[in-house]
Amino acid sequence: MTGEIFSMERFSIHDGPGVRTSIFFKGCPLHCIWCHNPESHERGPVLQYLEKECVGCAGCVSACPSGVHSFINGKHRMDRGKCTGCGQCCLACPGDALRIRGKACTAEEVLQVIGKDRPYYGEEGGVTLSGGEPLLQPDFAAEILRLCKERGIGTCVETAGDVSQKAFLKVIADTDLFLYDYKLDTQEQMDRYTGGSLKRIRENLELLAGHGKKVVLRCPIIPGINDTREHLKAIAELADRLSIADTELMPYHGYGEDKWRQIGKEYALSGLPNMEKETADICRRQLAGLRAGCHEKGREV
């Protein structure tokens, strides 16, 4: 079984409980304007250029068989439309300024990397499939999860939910935990900031709840877009209705902005400051209060 990934991160502590190995899949049905992994949006290899690492040797010009690279007045230029993802320029670059993000690999190759981290998982850790959207490659994801469960390794899938229910059903039995990214409350907002179907996202969340799966509702909070009491209330009501115990707010940061530029894309939120800790804490307290209010209302009924 072969699939396409763009990164495997060992000793991760941000993608689920405990120490984890995070496998990042290529391809995503959404295109969130704040995304910190823009190299995941499309399937296929993406050429990343780190300008600060370039030594100006022009080795990439002679190495590339497709004429992607040139130097004009000492400035490195790229015609990305010509890139086939062969990686010859990366091999010729002495400064590691050029990298190909995205490669095909087998489930067994992924398990070889996972095996190196297994001694560190303890009782809580394990493997997280992320992306991109791992459930755009449901058969590949299912195979990795199955092999993990056969070895007694804990499993987690991070998803934005905008895939078919058939995809969820392929992985549901072998997934211990779903980190479910819930971003916006209206289709109008989705169309403007992320694309995708809010209806399908909610339906798939209901599917997981109906199967009794453990879910953490993860909600990015973006200043000027969804940092409102109304959005927090919608999160609280959704979690209460589906009996989702855990919600997590993820304050905006612009750490992915450089990646957008490195793969030749414009970052729509350039200049937007990171959300301050104090502001994030206020949002968390508001959400906790709203969740408590939903619980009390339910008890009264």
Side-chain angles (χ1 to χ4, degrees), residues 72-93:
I72 300 176
N73 297 325
K75 185 75 171 178
H76 181 222
R77 305 292 185 186
M78 287 181 289
D79 185 346
R80 292 179 178 274
K82 295 180 179 180
C83 182
T84 63
C86 72
Q88 292 301 308
C89 61
C90 304
L91 294 175
C93 180

Side-chain angles (χ1 to χ4, degrees), residues 27-103:
C28 187
L30 306 182
H31 289 78
C32 305
I33 64 172
W34 55 81
C35 181
H36 57 270
N37 287 329
E39 70 272 39
S40 73
H41 289 178
E42 289 83 23
R43 296 288 297 272
V46 172
L47 181 61
Q48 183 181 24
Y49 172 58
L50 287 71
E51 184 176 7
K52 293 180 180 179
E53 306 298 328
C54 179
V55 298
C57 69
C60 54
V61 178
S62 56
C64 177
S66 303
V68 172
H69 305 275
S70 62
F71 276 76
I72 300 176
N73 297 325
K75 185 75 171 178
H76 181 222
R77 305 292 185 186
M78 287 181 289
D79 185 346
R80 292 179 178 274
K82 295 180 179 180
C83 182
T84 63
C86 72
Q88 292 301 308
C89 61
C90 304
L91 294 175
C93 180
D96 196 28
L98 294 166
R99 303 172 185 176
I100 292 293
R101 305 305 302 270
K103 65 176 183 179

